[in-house]
Amino acid sequence: MSIRKRFQLISLVLAIGSSVFFTGCLSQESALVDDAAVVTIQNKGSDTIVNLALAWAERYQEYAPNVSVAVTGGGSGTGITSLINGTVDLANASRQIKTEELEAARENGIEPIEFVVARDAIAIIVHPSNPVDTLTLQQLSDIYSGKIRNWLELGGEDRPIVLLSRETNSGTHVYFLEEVVRLGNAEDTTLFSVDTLLLPSSEGIGTEVRQNPNAIGYDGLGYVTDDMKTVAVSKGEGEAFWPPTVETVNTGNYPIARDLYIYTAGEPQGAIKTYLEWILSAEAQQIVLDLGFVPVSYE
Amino acid sequence: MTKTQDTSASSSSDPKSGAAAEALTPIYEMHRSQASSLLEVVIERAIQTSGISAVVLVALIFLFLIKEGVPAFFEIPLSSLFAARWYPIEDYFGLISLVAGSLLVTVGAAAMSLPLGLATAVFIAEIAPSWARDFLKPFVEVLAGIPSVVIGFMGMLVLAPFVRTALDIPTGLTAFTGMLVLAWMALPTIVSVVEDVLDSVPKTYRDAGLALGLTRWQTIWRIVIPAGRTGILTALMLGIGRAIGETMTVMMVTGNAARIPTGLADIFMPVRTMTATIAAEMGEVAQGSAHYHVLFAVGLVLFLITFLVNLMAAVVVFRQTKRAERLLS
Amino acid sequence: MSRQIAQRIAFALITAAAIFVIIPIFFIVGYIVFQGLGAINWEFLSAFPRDGMKAGGLLPAIVGTLLLTAGTAIVAVPLGVGAAIYLSEYAKDTTTTRAIRIAIVNLAGIPSVVYGLFGLGLFVIFLNFGTSILAGSLTLGIMTLPIIISTAEEALRAVPQSFRLVSTSLGGTRWQTIYRVVLPQALPGIITGVILGLERAAGETAPILFTVAAFFLPQLPTSILDQTMALPYHLFVISTQVPGMPLSIQYGTALVLLVFVLSMNLIATLIRRHYRHQRVW
């Protein structure tokens, strides 16, 4: 084949290829306009909640096949920011919205409405071989602010403590900072120790804890797997130690328990409202339990 | 990228730049006045515009980074930006730990990568039998193709635990692990460029060495490599550029702790790089907030660093070409 | 020490270094194949993920990567080949040309995450495309531009001057010469460069993090303003964010991405080799 013919052939192939691509895209778009309207709900935010949100989205497809829920993570901060920017319908957050964020939303004409959709315990996880079983909140605060540096000081082996944490965009991180490192004291300005490893997400912590006997980490109960060990926590000296379980969260005994939230932009309407109501229903809450979180108790 | 950056680096010093076009220009102009059509004119305008596009884009990127990054310097006092602590959600914006983290990992990676890359290139170009050469060259390019997230994934699951147990350090997620991985990732760039450089050293140089009674190794070490030292320096610069810009891999293996490394032992402690910081935090910042601007400022710093590295490489090549021209004239 | 012994030692060290570099390549690819092959079956490649992405397949991620690659090509190829033609056939050695070359070298060196930042700032926010295939393709396209320009220009320059002379001697204008003579001859080299550039774009995560990537979408994207899943981001997410993710699925995803990227590499190499033999000069 001559060079020119070859060139023409290749151009032809490329032209056909791109036109197929475009036709495909366009026809899909028009096909959907013709069918019953497919509603997409944008759901974004907390990495703690993301797997739960995903499970909900998957199950909900069976009930409402024309509603599709798009789930993205990125951290509580990401979700709330998107809500403020008006690019998301449901923002998942493992911490409450901050005052600054509330103001920013109102400036944009958006009134965030809060829904508690599940509850969670923040489990303290260590390597299975770690002999330490119990810790007080004060000890946790000292560990994570860098005051206690060796497991020996806690009755464990002579090993340096490797601190694992979520990234700063995580609601879990913020919650831990406020309730554990700062012991709930709003005036306190203690920070995480500068040596704290900020890992990309929950599984990053899991991966390290599973194979590093020096490590200590924290994360939602839903992320604890059998190859990790959880530590029982007490509010203070002389108080009982409670392991993180669904029961201890429900009875209010576990000291580091929190609510998980979904925020909407204004009062939810239509498909979003239906979806939220379903999330608070018994079936969706059973999914909460299945994933290791704590269902919202309701009458 | 391997082949391509080497081309840019060498052709910018190519004195024949545009010679193909220039020589024929008079004839082209003559024919143009005879037979040009509207379509041709339109197409040629489009081509000229495409040509300028590269400059426009670089300028656009630079301006954007400035537009969104410079406000950080007004919103945040300089003393805070140069403080030791990076904890943006509580308004601690000390950039030093990030810059130090990036520099530590990059310098370490470059230090490991250059000798290894040089050795591998020498091996492929001078020592390996030709059947091996045909196989090795594309093989090293395979390494260039492996996505960074795959390497980070393996680094996190396999290398980090290994480093921890082998060196008996608290955790395997350290600057050192990052250096190892980055050095390895920069290798295809370095190997490719150096190999081309060695190839382009004239055979007469080697013949002269052998004629003088030097062994092959002495010829390589004392004649060929020094002859190619500009290109080798360029390769180093490109490797550095690759290392400092890497994001996903360092995010997965360096631990992301914003510490300022102060001593040699800190190589075996976690660090936080500029690139990982941007990737990890950008998603959550409210547009227009101080944090948002600071992250763009970090991006600006990265842009300027790579710009400087490229500039230095170009200057070195330029000087070497000038020297060569003087010698040969 | 005799020079012969010095040579032996030096060569041994160098060979050791080369082996040290090459062995891990085998190891990584081999290990991923070994661990991941078990997960590959038709369902894995053609179904949606289910059960919290711990089972099922990769279809949306594969389609997403294909769409983004196509989008990158649409953005980068016309612009890049055009710029290469300009540099090779039109440009004189002026300051503008030198500025263009410097710009290209700089574009090539910009870290991928800075491209992501730029894409976020310009396409997602300023031009209000939102996180979309459009924003992602534009970002990846600009990132791929320097590679395509460089390789395309190299391919164009490799065409001997005599070809152009013959064309002009027959009365061809500049564009006619390019279109009918130079470009067809340079085409294999250009295609190789384009494929290598697209290979890089397909494997990148940082530029798509804030411009297009989604954790989970229940259906395939239907317009360029939709978000999409993508293989590199998917691998990142399942290896760092989902508890209880079976290792076989993680390695399987890595394998699919690797195969996708490396087969592009292979195709490009084969094209290059084939046409090098076939070259008429």
Side-chain angles (χ1 to χ4, degrees), chain A residues 3-296:
Chain A
I3 294 163
R4 177 193 313 200
K5 286 231 175 67
R6 194 171 301 171
F7 181 46
Q8 285 174 338
L9 179 63
I10 295 178
S11 328
L12 189 63
V13 167
L14 284 173
I16 293 179
S18 23
S19 53
V20 163
F21 172 63
F22 276 117
T23 324
C25 272
L26 291 173
S27 66
Q28 272 201 306
E29 197 165 6
S30 56
L32 263 122
V33 168
D34 293 338
D35 290 345
V38 169
V39 180
T40 308
I41 299 181
Q42 290 288 349
N43 183 349
K44 195 172 179 187
S46 163
D47 286 327
T48 304
I49 301 179
V50 79
N51 292 293
L52 183 55
L54 185 54
W56 279 332
E58 278 177 6
R59 181 68 68 84
Y60 195 63
Q61 280 252 279
E62 296 168 24
Y63 289 90
N66 64 324
V67 175
S68 73
V69 183
V71 178
T72 314
S76 305
T78 312
I80 294 180
T81 304
S82 302
L83 192 72
I84 296 174
N85 294 335
T87 54
V88 96
D89 301 307
L90 298 173
N92 302 328
S94 57
R95 59 164 172 83
Q96 281 190 302
I97 192 170
K98 299 187 201 161
T99 356
E100 314 91 75
E101 291 167 334
L102 209 52
E103 283 165 12
R106 289 188 178 131
E107 272 173 38
N108 273 6
I110 294 182
E111 182 65 34
I113 309 284
E114 180 182 292
F115 294 89
V116 175
V117 293
R119 308 197 65 222
D120 185 25
I122 295 197
I124 306 293
I125 42 184
V126 293
H127 191 261
S129 73
N130 196 322
V132 174
D133 293 320
T134 58
L135 288 170
T136 66
L137 278 182
Q138 181 64 52
Q139 282 175 317
L140 281 171
S141 172
D142 290 338
I143 292 173
Y144 266 95
S145 55
K147 297 200 189 76
I148 300 180
R149 308 186 70 97
N150 195 307
W151 285 107
L152 211 51
E153 303 173 54
L154 299 164
E157 302 166 341
D158 181 14
R159 289 174 173 280
I161 304 184
V162 172
L163 301 169
L164 306 178
S165 163
R166 295 284 306 281
E167 269 281 357
T168 53
N169 61 354
S170 153
T172 315
H173 174 110
V174 174
Y175 179 84
F176 198 80
L177 176 70
E178 289 173 354
E179 300 301 318
V180 178
V181 177
R182 295 181 176 171
L183 295 169
N185 184 349
E187 308 291 313
D188 196 338
T189 55
T190 321
L191 299 177
F192 278 91
S193 154
V194 103
D195 295 324
T196 317
L197 279 76
L198 303 179
L199 301 181
S201 194
S202 311
E203 261 313 280
I205 297 186
T207 309
E208 184 68 5
V209 158
R210 263 179 220 119
Q211 47 87 16
N212 190 344
N214 306 323
I216 182 172
Y218 63 85
D219 220 327
L221 198 51
Y223 288 88
V224 175
T225 54
D226 292 328
D227 42 8
M228 298 174 200
K229 174 178 168 182
T230 57
V231 167
V233 182
S234 86
K235 285 209 193 74
E237 287 289 331
E239 302 246 9
F241 292 95
W242 300 97
T245 66
V246 173
E247 294 78 46
T248 56
V249 170
N250 265 331
T251 55
N253 283 325
Y254 188 69
I256 329 177
R258 57 180 178 167
D259 293 334
L260 298 177
Y261 308 94
I262 287 186
Y263 287 91
T264 57
E267 282 295 335
Q269 318 264 0
I272 300 177
K273 178 162 188 272
T274 324
Y275 186 49
L276 264 174
E277 284 169 0
W278 180 80
I279 287 181
L280 294 170
S281 73
E283 171 160 16
Q285 291 295 311
Q286 178 61 41
I287 297 180
V288 170
L289 196 57
D290 291 338
L291 255 65
F293 294 96
V294 182
V296 176

Side-chain angles (χ1 to χ4, degrees), chain C residues 68 124 130-137 140 207-214 217 226-230:
Chain C
L68 285 173
V124 175
T131 42
S132 56
I133 297 179
L134 182 60
S137 299
L140 284 172
I208 59 176
L209 269 180
F210 341 113
T211 53
V212 65
L217 293 173
D226 280 346
Q227 279 186 293
T228 178
M229 292 168 72

Side-chain angles (χ1 to χ4, degrees), chain B residues 1 3-5 7-9 11-12 14-25 27-29 31-32 35-36 40 43-44 47-48 50-55 57-58 60-61 64-65 67-68 115-117 119-120 122-124 127 134-136 138-151 153-154 156-158 184 187 191 213-218 220 241 244-248 251-252 275 278-279 282-283 287 292 295-296 299-300 302-303 306-307 310-311, chain C residues 3-4 6-7 10-11 14-15 17-18 20-22 24-29 31-32 78-79 82-83 85-93 96-115 117-118 120-122 125-126 142 145-147 149-151 153-154 157 161 164-165 167-178 196 199-200 203-206 209-210 232 235-236 239-240 247 250-251 254 257-258 261-262 265 269 272-273:
Chain B
M1 276 308 281
K3 278 261 163 262
T4 63
Q5 283 181 332
T7 311
S8 328
S11 57
S12 52
D14 180 356
K16 291 214 196 71
S17 228
E22 280 202 69
L24 292 174
T25 304
I27 309 177
Y28 282 145
E29 293 305 313
H31 289 164
R32 172 197 293 282
S36 105
E40 267 196 36
I43 291 182
E44 294 196 328
I47 290 183
Q48 274 169 332
S50 312
I52 311 281
S53 66
V55 181
L57 285 170
V58 172
L60 196 61
I61 295 178
F64 226 91
L65 289 174
K67 168 179 178 276
E68 302 286 0
L116 277 179
T120 310
V122 166
F123 180 77
I124 295 180
I127 302 177
D134 282 338
F135 165 72
L136 287 173
F139 203 65
V140 174
E141 269 182 34
V142 161
L143 175 53
I146 301 181
S148 51
V149 66
V150 173
I151 299 185
F153 168 70
M154 292 291 286
M156 194 175 71
L157 287 180
V158 175
W184 202 64
L187 276 171
V191 168
L214 302 175
T215 62
R216 267 178 65 212
W217 167 241
Q218 285 175 317
I220 297 174
I244 205 167
E246 189 42 58
T247 310
M248 299 315 289
M251 197 157 104
M252 291 163 102
T275 47
I278 297 178
M282 200 59 210
Q287 287 166 30
Y292 176 84
L295 287 179
F296 268 93
L300 185 61
L302 275 170
F303 178 88
T306 47
F307 183 79
N310 278 318
L311 199 65
Chain C
R3 295 177 312 161
Q4 296 298 341
Q7 169 160 294
F11 279 15
I14 289 183
T15 315
F20 185 69
V21 165
I22 293 169
I25 306 178
F26 273 114
F27 174 71
I28 284 196
V29 176
Y31 195 70
I32 293 180
L79 207 55
I85 295 178
Y86 178 74
L87 285 172
S88 163
E89 309 294 323
Y90 288 85
K92 306 182 189 51
D93 198 11
T96 322
T97 317
R98 247 175 264 152
I100 295 179
R101 291 199 191 283
I102 296 179
I104 294 174
V105 172
N106 274 300
L107 276 181
I110 295 179
S112 53
V113 74
V114 174
Y115 276 108
L117 217 51
F118 171 66
L120 174 70
L122 180 62
I125 296 178
F126 189 72
I142 299 180
L145 207 55
I147 302 174
I149 296 181
S150 300
T151 41
E153 201 204 331
E154 191 182 342
R157 279 184 184 279
Q161 188 70 325
R164 297 182 185 81
L165 283 171
S167 169
T168 50
S169 71
L170 292 171
T173 61
R174 198 195 309 248
W175 173 245
Q176 284 175 330
T177 308
I178 296 173
L196 287 176
E199 168 196 346
R200 165 115 192 256
E204 282 285 339
T205 319
L209 269 180
F210 341 113
L235 178 61
F236 176 64
S239 62
T240 58
L247 266 183
Q250 294 182 45
Y251 278 102
L257 179 57
L258 208 57
V261 156
L262 291 182
N265 201 324
T269 312
R272 181 168 40 192
R273 216 168 264 199

Side-chain angles (χ1 to χ4, degrees), chain B:
Chain B
M1 276 308 281
T2 59
K3 278 261 163 262
T4 63
Q5 283 181 332
D6 121 66
T7 311
S8 328
S10 56
S11 57
S12 52
S13 61
D14 180 356
K16 291 214 196 71
S17 228
E22 280 202 69
L24 292 174
T25 304
I27 309 177
Y28 282 145
E29 293 305 313
M30 184 171 75
H31 289 164
R32 172 197 293 282
S33 52
Q34 292 165 2
S36 105
S37 67
L38 183 61
L39 183 61
E40 267 196 36
V41 172
V42 166
I43 291 182
E44 294 196 328
R45 276 277 164 267
I47 290 183
Q48 274 169 332
T49 323
S50 312
I52 311 281
S53 66
V55 181
V56 169
L57 285 170
V58 172
L60 196 61
I61 295 178
F62 185 54
L63 285 172
F64 226 91
L65 289 174
I66 290 192
K67 168 179 178 276
E68 302 286 0
V70 166
F73 294 99
F74 293 108
E75 287 168 9
I76 303 166
L78 270 183
S79 57
S80 180
L81 286 172
F82 284 97
R85 191 78 208 241
W86 171 264
Y87 197 63
I89 56 176
E90 299 267 317
D91 293 339
Y92 289 85
F93 290 115
L95 294 173
I96 298 202
S97 47
L98 304 180
V99 176
S102 282
L103 284 180
L104 177 63
V105 174
T106 305
V107 168
M112 284 190 240
S113 198
L114 187 61
L116 277 179
L118 198 54
T120 310
V122 166
F123 180 77
I124 295 180
E126 311 277 336
I127 302 177
S130 55
W131 58 263
R133 196 170 308 166
D134 282 338
F135 165 72
L136 287 173
K137 276 202 71 167
F139 203 65
V140 174
E141 269 182 34
V142 161
L143 175 53
I146 301 181
S148 51
V149 66
V150 173
I151 299 185
F153 168 70
M154 292 291 286
M156 194 175 71
L157 287 180
V158 175
L159 185 60
F162 175 71
V163 168
R164 180 180 60 82
T165 40
L167 298 176
D168 196 25
I169 47 182
T171 171
L173 301 172
T174 61
F176 179 64
T177 322
M179 286 181 202
L180 281 177
V181 174
L182 282 184
W184 202 64
M185 288 173 81
L187 276 171
T189 312
I190 294 185
V191 168
S192 186
V193 173
V194 172
E195 213 238 314
D196 282 347
V197 163
L198 293 177
D199 250 356
S200 68
V201 170
K203 190 166 176 303
T204 48
Y205 282 44
R206 292 183 187 76
D207 290 345
L210 293 172
L212 289 170
L214 302 175
T215 62
R216 267 178 65 212
W217 167 241
Q218 285 175 317
T219 321
I220 297 174
W221 182 241
R222 294 184 191 213
I223 298 182
V224 178
I225 290 183
R229 68 179 175 281
T230 335
I232 293 177
L233 199 57
T234 314
L236 178 65
M237 296 285 165
L238 291 174
I240 289 182
R242 176 91 212 257
I244 205 167
E246 189 42 58
T247 310
M248 299 315 289
T249 346
V250 287
M251 197 157 104
M252 291 163 102
V253 306
T254 56
N256 299 320
R259 312 173 67 249
I260 300 182
T262 44
L264 223 51
D266 283 326
I267 295 180
F268 300 102
M269 294 292 283
V271 287
R272 190 181 183 83
T273 58
M274 293 189 274
T275 47
T277 303
I278 297 178
E281 299 179 12
M282 200 59 210
E284 75 132 343
V285 288
Q287 287 166 30
S289 66
H291 192 183
Y292 176 84
H293 291 307
V294 174
L295 287 179
F296 268 93
V298 175
L300 185 61
V301 171
L302 275 170
F303 178 88
L304 290 172
I305 292 181
T306 47
F307 183 79
L308 272 167
V309 167
N310 278 318
L311 199 65
M312 283 193 328
V315 164
V316 165
V317 170
F318 184 65
R319 279 228 198 102
Q320 201 59 22
T321 323
K322 279 256 157 267
R323 232 178 116 243
E325 280 170 7
R326 261 188 292 128
L327 287 171
L328 294 170
S329 63

